[in-house]
Amino acid sequence: MKKIIVLSALLPLICANNVFADGGVSDEASLMQAIAEANANPNIKKIRFEEDAHIVLNQPVVYSGTQDLVLVGHGATIDGASAGSFVLDQDLTAVTEDGTFVFNTAASITIKNLSVLNSATRGIVVNIPEDAVGGDQVVNLHKVVVRNSALYGLHIDDNRDEFDDGNFGSAIGLELNISKSSFTFNGIGALDFDGIRVDERGDGDIITTIRQSVISDNGGDGIELDEAGRGDVITTVIDTIIDRNGFYNAEDYDDGFDIDEGDEGSIWVNMIGVSAADNKDEGLDFDEAGAGSVNISVLDTEVSGSGDEGLKVDEADDGDINFALKNVESEENGDDGIQFTEQGAGQIFGSLTGVEAEDNAKYGVTIGQWIVEDEPAPAEAAGQVSASDVELSGNASGDIVKLNNVDLVQ
């Protein structure tokens, strides 16, 4: 009898933590009700969808609760073609606060097995409150599909400025984990909107892990991680396709994967088994300015058919470039196949192992460091790069590793 009494006492709590635990969300009305209840009741931490439900929205869904929330999609599809709108300002920049799914919270968000399609504005939006403190905002996406968004597919925003200028944001960082997901054909309604965009300002890092996913055919960058203020960008990408991005603006094409880190902080990149093919500007473009270094490891990766450089790494001001490339192919790109440039106080140290650079429009590999670009003589100690099993052929400017103030050890 005691066990039955205890179980009966727990049932209300179990039900409170799982909205629609029996039937699940099946249409716009039940989804809006579930979100409204989660906004009002911090004990609600999970929302379940009916299996393969197809939900057509007429307005954005906005979560503003303070508790961590899990959405279990069960293969449901949300169509956001009529959920929100945007306007174009004088320079054709799209302006909106809308998205199909908007999360105004510093709580952790987990979405599983859910598709967000045809968004009139942005697909999934996470807005970090300016006054957020404590642990990092965490977003987990597993088996999530975001396709055909007019603007961003996924936008995680920790920037007070509406147009992503300035360095003011919350005091927390951002952690994004994506697995077995796809972001395709987003950014097809206005200039400069990406498949995945993360803006971090103020204190805090951007930490991302992307595994077994597809980020392709987006009008802007496939992925853009933009960090300013004090903090690092730390990213791991494994077994992922980043192809055919950056086509929307023919006057200023975009990249496959773009990282911009400004002010105090470094870039840390670990890539294994990545394809970055046929992106309109650079395939992989990593830029660091201010006090900080770039540290990258790339293994078993192919970069090809980029409109500009295949793999480009720029470090400006104080800081080094440290890299290790192994079993990397860079072919048929519109500039150098692989390019490392360090300008300011700092050096380049790295290794090229089993690297192939073929049929690029300029050099296969260029590595150079300067205090001031084109200085008449080196003004700092030379960097050093080791090379083994490097194959260069068919590159228009020459089949050599082009160096400036860097010693090559073979």
Side-chain angles (χ1 to χ4, degrees):
M1 180 64 70
K2 230 178 237 186
K3 289 182 181 177
I4 294 174
I5 293 172
V6 170
L7 181 58
S8 299
L10 287 175
L11 278 175
L13 181 60
I14 293 171
C15 292
N17 287 338
N18 294 273
V19 175
F20 299 102
D22 295 328
V25 168
S26 60
D27 55 18
E28 182 179 35
S30 58
L31 175 56
M32 291 299 182
Q33 180 185 348
I35 291 295
E37 292 187 15
N39 287 338
N41 183 352
N43 291 318
I44 296 173
K45 298 180 180 179
K46 185 177 291 185
I47 295 174
R48 298 180 182 273
F49 290 74
E50 281 191 359
E51 187 172 351
D52 298 326
H54 182 73
I55 300 172
V56 177
L57 296 180
N58 292 295
Q59 59 183 310
V61 177
V62 181
Y63 173 71
S64 55
T66 58
Q67 72 273 26
D68 297 347
L69 186 66
V70 178
L71 304 183
V72 183
H74 290 140
T77 298
I78 297 175
D79 191 311
S82 299
S85 62
F86 64 89
V87 297
L88 297 176
D89 67 9
Q90 292 181 348
D91 65 357
L92 300 182
T93 299
V95 180
T96 186
E97 294 182 357
D98 291 343
T100 296
F101 245 121
V102 180
F103 299 89
N104 296 324
T105 183
S108 295
I109 301 298
T110 297
I111 305 176
K112 302 177 181 179
N113 200 15
L114 183 69
S115 296
V116 178
L117 309 180
N118 307 322
S119 296
T121 59
R122 300 171 290 176
I124 299 173
V125 183
V126 181
N127 293 314
I128 313 302
E130 294 178 18
D131 58 356
V133 294
D136 288 353
Q137 160 72 271
V138 180
V139 178
N140 302 307
L141 305 177
H142 178 64
K143 292 186 177 179
V144 170
V145 174
V146 182
R147 186 170 66 243
N148 291 342
S149 304
L151 308 178
Y152 298 120
L154 168 67
H155 188 197
I156 302 179
D157 194 9
D158 182 26
N159 189 342
R160 292 185 195 174
D161 189 87
E162 183 178 14
F163 298 102
D164 295 327
D165 295 324
N167 291 341
F168 299 102
S170 75
I172 68 172
L174 312 171
E175 180 180 338
L176 171 63
N177 302 301
I178 298 174
S179 58
K180 295 185 178 180
S181 298
S182 68
F183 297 80
T184 58
F185 298 101
N186 302 292
I188 55 176
L191 301 176
D192 195 24
F193 287 92
D194 313 314
I196 297 171
R197 174 67 173 263
V198 179
D199 289 303
E200 201 286 327
R201 299 294 188 272
D203 291 348
D205 302 326
I206 297 175
I207 303 173
T208 65
T209 302
I210 303 174
R211 297 174 181 270
Q212 295 177 290
S213 295
V214 177
I215 302 103
S216 295
D217 300 294
N218 297 288
D221 296 318
I223 310 166
E224 180 170 345
L225 308 180
D226 195 355
E227 198 282 333
R230 185 172 60 184
D232 296 340
V233 178
I234 305 167
T235 187
T236 298
V237 184
I238 298 174
D239 295 336
T240 291
I241 296 170
I242 309 172
D243 291 352
R244 300 181 301 279
N245 298 289
F247 57 81
Y248 187 84
N249 184 4
E251 295 183 3
D252 187 13
Y253 286 132
D254 284 303
D255 308 320
F257 188 3
D258 182 20
I259 299 177
D260 295 307
E261 197 288 323
D263 303 312
E264 184 179 344
S266 296
I267 294 175
W268 302 82
V269 176
N270 181 32
M271 306 186 78
I272 303 172
V274 173
S275 166
D278 300 322
N279 295 290
K280 283 294 189 177
D281 201 16
E282 284 88 12
L284 306 173
D285 182 12
F286 307 142
D287 299 310
E288 196 283 329
S293 298
V294 182
N295 310 277
I296 73 169
S297 172
V298 184
L299 173 66
D300 296 336
T301 289
E302 180 177 350
V303 185
S304 62
S306 306
D308 211 338
E309 292 90 357
L311 166 61
K312 179 176 78 70
V313 177
D314 285 343
E315 197 287 323
D317 306 314
D318 293 352
D320 299 331
I321 295 176
N322 303 289
F323 71 86
L325 307 187
K326 185 175 182 180
N327 299 337
V328 173
E329 298 180 13
S330 188
E331 301 175 345
E332 299 180 352
N333 298 292
D335 199 283
D336 298 325
I338 298 169
Q339 181 188 97
F340 292 96
T341 303
E342 195 286 323
Q343 186 170 322
Q347 296 170 280
I348 298 177
F349 301 97
S351 63
L352 303 169
T353 305
V355 170
E356 298 181 14
E358 300 177 346
D359 301 320
N360 295 289
K362 292 187 178 179
Y363 289 97
V365 180
T366 67
I367 307 171
Q369 64 179 56
W370 297 263
I371 293 292
V372 179
E373 190 171 2
D374 299 325
E375 59 199 6
E380 62 183 347
Q384 183 171 294
V385 172
S386 64
S388 62
D389 298 322
V390 175
E391 297 184 15
L392 307 173
S393 65
N395 299 294
S397 296
D399 293 326
I400 61 170
V401 178
K402 181 173 172 58
L403 303 169
N404 186 83
N405 196 28
V406 175
D407 295 331
L408 188 66
V409 179
Q410 294 180 299

